[in-house]
Amino acid sequence: MKAVRIHRFGGPEVLAYESVPDPKPRKDQVLIRVRACALNHLDLWVRNGLPGVNLPHILGTDTAGEIVEVGEYVSDVKVGQRVLVAPMSFCNHCAKCVAGLQNQCRQFTVYGNAVDGGNCELFAIPAVNAVPIPDWLDFNQAASVPLVFVTAWHMLTGRAAIRPGQTVLVLGANSGVGIAAIQIAKLFQARVITTAGDERKMERAHELGADFVINHYQQKISEEVRAITRGEGVDIVIEHVGPATWQESVRSLKAAGTLVTCGATTGPKVELDLRFLFSRQLSVLGSYMGTMSELHEVLGHVFAGRLKPVVDRVFPLSEVRAAHEYLEKSQMFGKVVLNP
Ligand SMILES: [Zn+2]
């Protein structure tokens, strides 16, 4: 089969579209013919070099396709079924996994990170990871859902414990996590403030349901938040940007507010004034992916049409370098998807 592999870390030039042996599914696995694989910022981090990535390595986290083969032990899905792939790898027998806390498993990782991913034509995965999708959801839409929606769902519900009517600041409306978080917060009747970098993205953010959109290049986020909330600040900040927005995110919180972060797009190190943290009684929470149960829960809302994936642009898998360059420029509103 054809796959995109990296043999060394670096820029888009290290992405190699090449022939590799077909995977053979184990008895508890299914073989998927990949129809779509969405990019995430994680693809860029892995390509640039992350510890735990063994070379050569197949990239790609969010995958959708059809089942073409099922292992002997698999009974709940069939050949021909359209599925998306739950993008997480876990041992499925440790105390955390059997408690349903897969993202705390010591072996937990994401497809395309410490294990091979779905930038390929055939993908062997445990049957538990194959989630049937409704007929009306196309493969590009289906591949655009899993990582960002389970991440935003875990951040807002599992970590920040959102309650109806709260005010939520979502950084970066055009990102996958931003698009998911705006819609999930609206599902909880929250008042949503978000940020975007130009008029077109601001308009799209309003269409997704954001109540207020701040232009983060022309306006100071915390000042606008103060004006919108009459000086109070927000209950929850959804952070994934890092140093470029961190100070503004912390300053936007109300007393006893919660900042939850799942990413570091602009870098890994930030400053935190401890006097501000304790005197304002703030909570700063880390969040990583979500559990299988949370994935099924958020997928229920997607399959019912209450939450909508947004596809920005589709590239052939063979043009993966152009797709990475496009993602790196952050011109997108929504997901960038590869088609084998
Ligand atoms: Zn485990």
Side-chain angles (χ1 to χ4, degrees):
M1 67 165 179
K2 290 290 188 186
V4 173
R5 292 202 298 186
I6 52 171
H7 297 262
R8 61 193 167 89
F9 298 120
E13 71 281 358
V14 305
L15 298 164
Y17 180 69
E18 59 192 14
S19 296
V20 302
D22 287 357
K24 293 266 172 288
R26 298 187 316 238
K27 290 180 178 177
D28 64 334
Q29 288 188 322
V30 299
L31 190 66
I32 311 280
R33 177 163 299 284
V34 177
R35 297 297 183 190
C37 191
L39 291 181
N40 291 283
H41 259 276
L42 179 64
D43 294 72
L44 306 180
W45 289 108
V46 171
R47 192 201 69 205
N48 283 319
L50 281 185
V53 178
N54 296 312
L55 301 174
H57 176 72
I58 301 177
L59 293 165
T61 303
D62 280 326
T63 311
E66 297 138 357
I67 296 178
V68 289
E69 193 180 328
V70 299
E72 188 185 337
Y73 301 162
V74 177
S75 56
D76 46 352
V77 285
K78 296 186 186 68
V79 168
Q81 230 166 345
R82 300 167 75 251
V83 296
L84 62 76
V85 177
M88 49 186 110
S89 174
F90 47 90
C91 83
N92 214 13
H93 55 74
C94 74
K96 294 295 186 182
C97 282
V98 296
L101 302 169
Q102 292 85 5
N103 59 344
Q104 294 177 33
C105 171
R106 289 178 65 181
Q107 292 180 35
F108 183 84
T109 189
V110 176
Y111 284 134
N113 185 358
V115 294
D116 279 341
N119 279 189
C120 53
E121 292 175 316
L122 294 166
F123 193 23
I125 55 159
V128 69
N129 289 75
V131 182
I133 58 175
D135 292 339
W136 59 265
L137 195 68
D138 72 37
F139 290 125
N140 291 330
Q141 292 171 317
S144 296
V145 172
L147 183 138
V148 292
F149 276 88
V150 75
T151 297
W153 186 264
H154 183 59
M155 290 173 87
L156 279 165
T157 68
R159 300 295 281 141
I162 187 172
R163 293 201 302 280
Q166 287 188 317
T167 302
V168 180
L169 170 63
V170 177
L171 276 294
N174 66 310
S175 67
V177 167
I179 286 167
I182 289 168
Q183 295 183 68
I184 293 167
K186 290 311 294 182
L187 206 60
F188 285 85
Q189 289 103 43
R191 186 163 61 146
V192 176
I193 305 169
T194 190
T195 74
D198 63 44
E199 287 294 326
R200 180 184 63 97
K201 291 175 186 170
M202 293 173 77
E203 184 57 41
R204 298 290 304 274
H206 277 299
E207 287 166 17
L208 282 179
D211 300 285
F212 303 92
V213 187
I214 298 168
N215 184 321
H216 54 230
Y217 293 128
Q218 291 171 5
Q219 297 170 295
K220 204 163 162 61
I221 295 171
S222 62
E223 282 175 9
E224 295 301 315
V225 165
R226 295 278 153 204
I228 292 164
T229 60
R230 299 179 183 198
E232 193 178 27
V234 301
D235 297 280
I236 299 169
V237 177
I238 296 294
E239 242 297 335
H240 51 97
V241 181
T245 52
W246 183 264
Q247 290 301 340
E248 289 301 297
S249 293
V250 174
R251 286 192 193 116
S252 297
L253 286 169
K254 68 160 65 162
T258 299
L259 182 155
V260 54
T261 180
C262 70
T265 308
T266 58
K269 300 267 172 71
V270 293
E271 272 185 32
L272 188 60
D273 186 332
L274 291 175
R275 297 164 300 183
F276 197 72
L277 179 76
F278 67 70
S279 65
R280 306 263 306 156
Q281 304 191 68
L282 305 178
S283 298
V284 176
L285 305 176
S287 189
Y288 187 49
M289 291 287 287
T291 67
M292 283 295 287
S293 169
E294 286 171 322
L295 177 64
H296 283 286
E297 199 175 4
V298 76
L299 286 177
H301 293 291
V302 174
F303 296 164
R306 288 187 287 271
L307 299 173
K308 294 182 175 62
V310 178
V311 178
D312 175 275
R313 196 165 156 188
V314 181
F315 291 79
L317 184 62
S318 56
E319 291 175 23
V320 62
R321 288 182 188 177
H324 274 232
E325 283 161 5
Y326 180 71
L327 183 65
E328 278 179 326
K329 287 186 193 131
S330 290
Q331 286 309 300
M332 72 292 170
F333 193 101
K335 301 297 281 183
V336 179
V337 184
L338 300 168
N339 286 173

